[in-house]
Amino acid sequence: MAPAAPKSGDVIFASVDRVNAELFTLTYGAIVRQLITDLEEVEEVNKQLDQMGYNIGVRLVDEFLAKSSVSRCVDFRETADVIAKVGFKMFLGVTASVTNWDADGTTCSLILEDNPLVDFVELPDTCQGLHYCNILSGVVRGALEMVSMKTEVTWLRDMLRGDDVFELQVKLLKQVPEEYPYKDDE
Amino acid sequence: MIVCVAVVGHQNNPLYIQSFTKADDSLKLHHIVHCSLDVVDERVNNPKKSGLIINETFLGLLNPTENYKVYGYLTNTKVKFILVTTDLEVRDADARVFFGRFHTAYVNAVSNPFHIPGKKITSRKFAERVSTIVKSFGLSSSS
């Protein structure tokens, strides 16, 4: 029997290994800064961050499933809830809220009021097009793809650009049916 | 009233200087800050004569002029903070508290990944925080 899905990630968060928040923030800052120096184009940096996040996400989802022992989600609403309440808490230490559902239940927004990645950060005028936290959208996209959901994740609001919260829009494009790589009779 | 604060790098290059007077005397204030840097150097190079305790970041009163009092603070990375005030009765403890908060603001500003160490501090957030600190001290000393 599968254990019931935890309501929040607090319990798991208390048991996982943690790293100093400032070290984490400064490391991420250094990565972004280096990407800007190397790639020069802000658009390229956004793409690269998203790709890095994707690569993290496809690996991270396994750890998430193993440690959180959540059961299978029945629909996309529950998936979004688990990401916001358990996933974000487990890996980022903050909880997101889920709002702005559309009628079909395929698009929603994850609202982050607090984001440890952006402590100290202030975007200079030359980098106004930069999605500083684009790595997060990549992580969500990568993780969902590994559990057979094709999604599109975009930033709608960004505190670094003067908005009051971070808003991450997650749009379910299609659910890929699980395919077995072999046939039964082989 | 605090009229001017400045952050000066370890090669005596100005990183941030902001005056808080309405009158157009910023040049004079810059001059005062500039002069006080020599006093800082002197104190640091002759710690015995000036009675400075090693590892103490607060340098105390640097040079009282007719209208101004100048206080200094030296971080362990040799960045100097200079405070110019018109208050004639300033308690050392208050100045220490001011520099403590100023130091925190400075640390947060240089932790911005887009800040290049040794270059001028252009952060708007830092400027806001500094003026908040300055304002809070202006109120407490005048009341």
Side-chain angles (χ1 to χ4, degrees):
Chain A
M1 201 180 81
K7 289 243 162 41
S8 78
D10 293 347
V11 182
I12 311 155
F13 182 67
S15 63
V16 291
D17 291 336
R18 266 161 286 172
V19 66
N20 181 290
E22 285 184 2
L23 174 68
F24 172 68
T25 310
L26 292 178
T27 310
Y28 184 67
I31 290 172
V32 176
R33 171 114 215 149
Q34 190 61 45
L35 281 176
I36 292 172
T37 318
D38 289 351
L39 300 172
E40 290 169 3
E41 292 287 328
V42 170
E43 274 308 309
E44 284 299 310
V45 177
N46 285 343
K47 257 185 234 163
Q48 189 64 32
L49 281 174
D50 187 68
Q51 187 57 40
M52 284 161 68
Y54 178 83
N55 292 340
I56 294 172
V58 295
R59 292 163 174 78
L60 207 63
V61 69
D62 262 327
E63 181 175 345
F64 172 73
L65 293 172
K67 284 194 179 162
S68 67
S69 67
V70 291
S71 52
R72 175 176 284 268
C73 297
V74 289
D75 56 5
F76 187 56
R77 278 173 188 270
E78 194 181 340
T79 310
D81 234 28
V82 168
I83 293 171
K85 299 280 178 317
V86 189
F88 271 101
K89 182 74 191 173
M90 194 168 154
F91 294 113
L92 210 56
V94 293
T95 313
S97 50
V98 189
T99 51
N100 295 353
W101 281 101
D102 68 344
D104 315 333
T106 55
T107 310
C108 69
S109 289
L110 301 175
I111 308 273
L112 278 173
E113 283 173 17
D114 187 22
N115 186 346
L117 285 178
V118 300
D119 288 347
F120 316 124
V121 178
E122 213 173 319
L123 284 185
D125 295 336
T126 49
C127 299
Q128 283 303 318
L130 178 70
H131 286 292
Y132 187 80
C133 301
N134 223 18
I135 203 159
L136 294 183
S137 55
V139 171
V140 173
R141 187 168 63 90
L144 285 177
E145 192 159 317
M146 291 316 271
V147 289
S148 54
M149 275 176 267
K150 278 263 183 206
T151 49
E152 191 182 86
V153 185
T154 42
W155 287 103
L156 292 188
R157 281 189 280 174
D158 191 328
M159 274 161 96
L160 292 177
R161 299 178 179 193
D163 297 319
D164 46 351
V165 287
F166 284 95
E167 182 171 351
L168 193 60
Q169 188 185 56
V170 185
K171 188 175 180 184
L172 181 66
L173 297 178
K174 64 170 179 178
Q175 252 167 331
V176 186
E178 283 178 30
E179 286 170 13
Y180 293 98
Y182 51 86
K183 292 194 179 96
D184 280 345
D185 53 350
E186 270 176 13
Chain B
M1 195 183 103
I2 294 167
V3 288
C4 184
V5 290
V7 180
V8 182
H10 68 110
Q11 287 164 322
N12 281 348
N13 48 326
L15 298 180
Y16 179 85
I17 182 156
Q18 181 65 50
S19 45
F20 297 93
T21 48
K22 290 196 182 71
D24 192 21
D25 56 357
S26 58
L27 202 62
K28 191 168 83 182
L29 291 167
H30 289 201
H31 178 71
I32 292 172
V33 170
H34 192 95
C35 292
S36 62
L37 292 177
D38 286 339
V39 187
V40 173
D41 278 345
E42 198 180 310
R43 293 232 180 150
V44 174
N45 293 332
N46 309 306
K48 274 180 198 151
K49 206 195 281 176
S50 54
L52 196 72
I53 310 155
I54 293 173
N55 286 343
E56 169 69 291
T57 50
F58 181 64
L59 299 172
L61 187 63
L62 296 178
N63 51 342
T65 56
E66 288 166 50
N67 304 319
Y68 302 106
K69 277 186 159 184
V70 184
Y71 285 84
Y73 185 95
L74 182 72
T75 71
N76 291 317
T77 49
K78 297 211 164 120
V79 175
K80 303 168 191 84
F81 301 153
I82 307 287
L83 161 70
V84 185
T85 171
T86 50
D87 294 334
L88 296 176
E89 306 236 336
V90 185
R91 279 180 300 161
D92 267 11
D94 282 344
R96 269 174 211 272
V97 172
F98 174 86
F99 280 125
R101 286 161 69 178
F102 194 80
H103 199 168
T104 314
Y106 170 77
V107 168
N108 281 345
V110 295
S111 297
N112 181 358
F114 296 104
H115 169 80
I116 304 157
K119 289 279 186 295
K120 286 201 168 192
I121 300 171
T122 50
S123 160
R124 275 188 292 274
K125 240 189 256 174
F126 177 70
E128 272 169 35
R129 272 187 83 167
V130 167
S131 61
T132 321
I133 299 172
V134 166
K135 265 182 208 137
S136 74
F137 272 82
L139 287 175
S140 63
S141 56
S142 63
S143 58

